[in-house]
Short mmCIF file of all heavy atoms in Angstrom, two decimals:
data_model
loop_
_atom_site.label_atom_id
_atom_site.label_comp_id
_atom_site.label_asym_id
_atom_site.label_seq_id
_atom_site.Cartn_x
_atom_site.Cartn_y
_atom_site.Cartn_z
N GLY A 1 -8.05 0.32 -9.18
CA GLY A 1 -7.20 1.29 -8.44
C GLY A 1 -6.77 0.76 -7.12
O GLY A 1 -5.58 0.95 -6.71
N GLY A 2 -7.69 0.02 -6.40
CA GLY A 2 -7.37 -0.54 -5.15
C GLY A 2 -6.31 -1.60 -5.25
O GLY A 2 -5.48 -1.76 -4.37
N GLN A 3 -6.49 -2.43 -6.29
CA GLN A 3 -5.50 -3.55 -6.50
C GLN A 3 -4.11 -2.99 -6.79
O GLN A 3 -3.06 -3.44 -6.38
CB GLN A 3 -5.97 -4.43 -7.59
CG GLN A 3 -7.14 -5.33 -7.16
CD GLN A 3 -7.91 -6.02 -8.30
OE1 GLN A 3 -7.69 -5.62 -9.44
NE2 GLN A 3 -8.61 -7.04 -7.99
N LEU A 4 -4.08 -1.82 -7.57
CA LEU A 4 -2.82 -1.14 -7.89
C LEU A 4 -2.15 -0.69 -6.64
O LEU A 4 -0.93 -0.87 -6.45
CB LEU A 4 -3.05 0.07 -8.74
CG LEU A 4 -3.15 -0.12 -10.31
CD1 LEU A 4 -3.62 1.18 -10.92
CD2 LEU A 4 -1.79 -0.54 -10.79
N GLN A 5 -2.93 -0.08 -5.72
CA GLN A 5 -2.29 0.37 -4.48
C GLN A 5 -1.83 -0.76 -3.65
O GLN A 5 -0.70 -0.71 -2.96
CB GLN A 5 -3.30 1.26 -3.68
CG GLN A 5 -3.39 2.69 -4.23
CD GLN A 5 -4.02 3.61 -3.28
OE1 GLN A 5 -4.95 3.27 -2.64
NE2 GLN A 5 -3.52 4.87 -3.28
N ARG A 6 -2.54 -1.89 -3.67
CA ARG A 6 -2.03 -2.99 -2.86
C ARG A 6 -0.80 -3.64 -3.40
O ARG A 6 0.08 -4.08 -2.66
CB ARG A 6 -3.14 -4.09 -2.72
CG ARG A 6 -4.20 -3.77 -1.67
CD ARG A 6 -5.25 -4.82 -1.53
NE ARG A 6 -6.30 -4.63 -2.52
CZ ARG A 6 -7.29 -5.53 -2.81
NH1 ARG A 6 -7.27 -6.72 -2.20
NH2 ARG A 6 -8.22 -5.24 -3.68
N LEU A 7 -0.66 -3.56 -4.78
CA LEU A 7 0.61 -4.06 -5.38
C LEU A 7 1.69 -3.13 -5.04
O LEU A 7 2.85 -3.53 -4.86
CB LEU A 7 0.41 -4.24 -6.87
CG LEU A 7 -0.44 -5.33 -7.37
CD1 LEU A 7 -0.68 -5.28 -8.86
CD2 LEU A 7 0.26 -6.68 -7.03
N ALA A 8 1.44 -1.83 -5.04
CA ALA A 8 2.53 -0.90 -4.65
C ALA A 8 2.97 -1.04 -3.17
O ALA A 8 4.14 -0.93 -2.89
CB ALA A 8 1.98 0.54 -4.82
N LEU A 9 1.96 -1.43 -2.33
CA LEU A 9 2.28 -1.76 -0.94
C LEU A 9 3.16 -3.02 -0.90
O LEU A 9 4.08 -3.11 -0.08
CB LEU A 9 1.04 -1.92 -0.10
CG LEU A 9 0.33 -0.56 0.30
CD1 LEU A 9 -1.06 -0.81 0.78
CD2 LEU A 9 1.19 0.06 1.43
N ALA A 10 2.74 -3.98 -1.72
CA ALA A 10 3.54 -5.27 -1.71
C ALA A 10 4.99 -4.96 -2.13
O ALA A 10 5.94 -5.55 -1.57
CB ALA A 10 2.88 -6.27 -2.69
N ARG A 11 5.18 -4.08 -3.12
CA ARG A 11 6.49 -3.67 -3.48
C ARG A 11 7.28 -3.06 -2.34
O ARG A 11 8.50 -3.31 -2.10
CB ARG A 11 6.46 -2.69 -4.65
CG ARG A 11 7.75 -2.30 -5.29
CD ARG A 11 7.52 -1.23 -6.36
NE ARG A 11 6.92 -1.84 -7.52
CZ ARG A 11 6.41 -1.06 -8.54
NH1 ARG A 11 6.49 0.25 -8.48
NH2 ARG A 11 5.89 -1.58 -9.58
N ALA A 12 6.59 -2.19 -1.54
CA ALA A 12 7.22 -1.59 -0.41
C ALA A 12 7.59 -2.58 0.66
O ALA A 12 8.64 -2.48 1.28
CB ALA A 12 6.31 -0.49 0.18
N PHE A 13 6.65 -3.51 0.95
CA PHE A 13 6.98 -4.56 1.93
C PHE A 13 8.16 -5.42 1.48
O PHE A 13 9.06 -5.69 2.28
CB PHE A 13 5.79 -5.54 2.08
CG PHE A 13 4.70 -5.09 3.05
CD1 PHE A 13 3.47 -4.63 2.60
CD2 PHE A 13 4.96 -5.05 4.49
CE1 PHE A 13 2.47 -4.20 3.49
CE2 PHE A 13 3.97 -4.62 5.29
CZ PHE A 13 2.76 -4.19 4.83
N TYR A 14 8.21 -5.71 0.20
CA TYR A 14 9.30 -6.51 -0.33
C TYR A 14 10.64 -5.76 -0.30
O TYR A 14 11.73 -6.28 0.07
CB TYR A 14 8.98 -6.94 -1.79
CG TYR A 14 10.00 -7.87 -2.36
CD1 TYR A 14 10.24 -9.13 -1.88
CD2 TYR A 14 10.74 -7.44 -3.53
CE1 TYR A 14 11.20 -9.96 -2.49
CE2 TYR A 14 11.70 -8.27 -4.12
CZ TYR A 14 11.90 -9.52 -3.57
OH TYR A 14 12.83 -10.36 -4.13
N ARG A 15 10.59 -4.43 -0.60
CA ARG A 15 11.76 -3.61 -0.66
C ARG A 15 12.30 -3.41 0.76
O ARG A 15 13.56 -3.46 1.02
CB ARG A 15 11.41 -2.29 -1.30
CG ARG A 15 12.61 -1.38 -1.53
CD ARG A 15 12.14 -0.16 -2.33
NE ARG A 15 13.26 0.75 -2.61
CZ ARG A 15 14.12 0.58 -3.57
NH1 ARG A 15 14.03 -0.49 -4.35
NH2 ARG A 15 15.04 1.41 -3.78
N ASN A 16 11.49 -3.10 1.76
CA ASN A 16 11.83 -2.99 3.13
C ASN A 16 12.94 -1.97 3.45
O ASN A 16 13.81 -2.14 4.30
CB ASN A 16 12.31 -4.41 3.61
CG ASN A 16 12.40 -4.45 5.13
OD1 ASN A 16 11.54 -3.90 5.82
ND2 ASN A 16 13.43 -5.11 5.71
N ALA A 17 12.89 -0.83 2.68
CA ALA A 17 13.87 0.18 2.81
C ALA A 17 13.72 0.96 4.10
O ALA A 17 12.57 0.98 4.61
CB ALA A 17 13.85 1.14 1.64
N PRO A 18 14.77 1.53 4.71
CA PRO A 18 14.64 2.23 5.99
C PRO A 18 13.83 3.52 5.94
O PRO A 18 13.39 3.98 7.02
CB PRO A 18 16.05 2.53 6.38
CG PRO A 18 16.85 2.46 5.14
CD PRO A 18 16.18 1.47 4.24
N ILE A 19 13.67 4.14 4.79
CA ILE A 19 12.89 5.37 4.66
C ILE A 19 11.62 5.04 3.85
O ILE A 19 11.75 4.43 2.75
CB ILE A 19 13.68 6.50 4.04
CG1 ILE A 19 14.94 6.87 4.85
CG2 ILE A 19 12.84 7.75 3.84
CD1 ILE A 19 15.92 7.80 4.18
N LEU A 20 10.47 5.40 4.34
CA LEU A 20 9.24 5.02 3.71
C LEU A 20 8.38 6.24 3.46
O LEU A 20 8.18 7.14 4.38
CB LEU A 20 8.45 4.09 4.61
CG LEU A 20 7.01 3.61 4.19
CD1 LEU A 20 7.07 2.80 2.96
CD2 LEU A 20 6.32 2.88 5.34
N ILE A 21 7.87 6.45 2.29
CA ILE A 21 7.04 7.52 1.86
C ILE A 21 5.65 7.00 1.51
O ILE A 21 5.50 6.22 0.58
CB ILE A 21 7.65 8.35 0.75
CG1 ILE A 21 9.03 8.96 1.17
CG2 ILE A 21 6.72 9.53 0.33
CD1 ILE A 21 9.79 9.51 0.08
N LEU A 22 4.62 7.45 2.21
CA LEU A 22 3.24 7.08 1.94
C LEU A 22 2.47 8.26 1.46
O LEU A 22 2.19 9.13 2.29
CB LEU A 22 2.59 6.41 3.23
CG LEU A 22 3.31 5.26 3.82
CD1 LEU A 22 2.67 4.84 5.19
CD2 LEU A 22 3.31 4.06 2.87
N ASP A 23 2.16 8.29 0.26
CA ASP A 23 1.42 9.43 -0.34
C ASP A 23 0.03 9.01 -0.58
O ASP A 23 -0.39 8.49 -1.65
CB ASP A 23 2.08 9.78 -1.69
CG ASP A 23 1.51 11.07 -2.31
OD1 ASP A 23 0.52 11.63 -1.72
OD2 ASP A 23 2.03 11.54 -3.36
N GLU A 24 -0.87 9.35 0.38
CA GLU A 24 -2.31 8.97 0.28
C GLU A 24 -2.39 7.52 -0.08
O GLU A 24 -3.16 7.07 -1.03
CB GLU A 24 -3.10 9.90 -0.73
CG GLU A 24 -3.09 11.29 -0.30
CD GLU A 24 -4.27 11.66 0.63
OE1 GLU A 24 -4.89 10.70 1.12
OE2 GLU A 24 -4.52 12.82 0.94
N ALA A 25 -1.70 6.69 0.59
CA ALA A 25 -1.41 5.24 0.15
C ALA A 25 -2.66 4.38 0.26
O ALA A 25 -2.60 3.24 -0.26
CB ALA A 25 -0.32 4.64 0.99
N THR A 26 -3.71 4.84 0.92
CA THR A 26 -4.96 3.99 0.94
C THR A 26 -6.17 4.67 0.24
O THR A 26 -7.26 4.26 0.52
CB THR A 26 -5.31 3.64 2.38
OG1 THR A 26 -5.52 4.88 3.13
CG2 THR A 26 -4.20 2.86 3.09
N SER A 27 -5.87 5.71 -0.48
CA SER A 27 -7.00 6.49 -1.07
C SER A 27 -7.92 5.80 -1.93
O SER A 27 -9.11 6.10 -2.12
CB SER A 27 -6.48 7.82 -1.69
OG SER A 27 -5.60 7.33 -2.81
N ALA A 28 -7.45 4.71 -2.65
CA ALA A 28 -8.26 3.98 -3.60
C ALA A 28 -8.85 2.69 -3.01
O ALA A 28 -9.45 1.93 -3.78
CB ALA A 28 -7.46 3.68 -4.84
N LEU A 29 -8.72 2.48 -1.76
CA LEU A 29 -9.23 1.23 -1.15
C LEU A 29 -10.64 1.46 -0.52
O LEU A 29 -10.92 2.52 -0.01
CB LEU A 29 -8.25 0.77 0.01
CG LEU A 29 -6.81 0.46 -0.49
CD1 LEU A 29 -5.96 0.20 0.77
CD2 LEU A 29 -6.77 -0.66 -1.43
N ASP A 30 -11.40 0.32 -0.55
CA ASP A 30 -12.71 0.42 0.13
C ASP A 30 -12.44 0.30 1.63
O ASP A 30 -11.30 0.02 2.06
CB ASP A 30 -13.66 -0.66 -0.36
CG ASP A 30 -13.10 -2.05 -0.25
OD1 ASP A 30 -12.47 -2.38 0.79
OD2 ASP A 30 -13.18 -2.86 -1.17
N SER A 31 -13.48 0.52 2.47
CA SER A 31 -13.25 0.59 3.89
C SER A 31 -12.80 -0.73 4.50
O SER A 31 -11.91 -0.68 5.40
CB SER A 31 -14.59 1.01 4.57
OG SER A 31 -15.60 0.08 4.31
N GLU A 32 -13.22 -1.86 3.98
CA GLU A 32 -12.83 -3.19 4.54
C GLU A 32 -11.33 -3.37 4.21
O GLU A 32 -10.55 -3.73 5.10
CB GLU A 32 -13.59 -4.29 3.89
CG GLU A 32 -13.20 -5.68 4.45
CD GLU A 32 -14.01 -6.81 3.80
OE1 GLU A 32 -14.94 -6.48 3.04
OE2 GLU A 32 -13.77 -7.92 4.10
N ASN A 33 -10.92 -3.21 2.99
CA ASN A 33 -9.46 -3.39 2.68
C ASN A 33 -8.58 -2.35 3.28
O ASN A 33 -7.49 -2.61 3.69
CB ASN A 33 -9.37 -3.28 1.12
CG ASN A 33 -9.69 -4.63 0.46
OD1 ASN A 33 -9.36 -5.69 0.91
ND2 ASN A 33 -10.51 -4.54 -0.57
N GLU A 34 -9.17 -1.10 3.48
CA GLU A 34 -8.37 -0.03 4.09
C GLU A 34 -8.02 -0.41 5.57
O GLU A 34 -6.87 -0.22 5.99
CB GLU A 34 -9.08 1.32 4.08
CG GLU A 34 -8.25 2.40 4.66
CD GLU A 34 -8.91 3.79 4.52
OE1 GLU A 34 -10.17 3.83 4.33
OE2 GLU A 34 -8.17 4.79 4.51
N GLU A 35 -8.97 -1.01 6.24
CA GLU A 35 -8.77 -1.44 7.68
C GLU A 35 -7.71 -2.54 7.68
O GLU A 35 -6.82 -2.51 8.50
CB GLU A 35 -10.02 -1.86 8.23
CG GLU A 35 -9.84 -2.24 9.71
CD GLU A 35 -11.17 -2.70 10.33
OE1 GLU A 35 -12.23 -2.58 9.77
OE2 GLU A 35 -11.12 -3.07 11.56
N ASN A 36 -7.77 -3.49 6.77
CA ASN A 36 -6.80 -4.54 6.71
C ASN A 36 -5.43 -4.04 6.44
O ASN A 36 -4.39 -4.42 7.03
CB ASN A 36 -7.10 -5.58 5.65
CG ASN A 36 -8.35 -6.38 6.05
OD1 ASN A 36 -8.69 -6.60 7.18
ND2 ASN A 36 -9.07 -6.85 4.98
#
């Protein structure tokens, strides 16, 4: 689940659209990865 969310974030970084929607975007990450 955490890797899925990081890939979704990679897609958002790559897309770089002017409007960004984050829906509990770090909910599946452990504390170390969430901080990063």
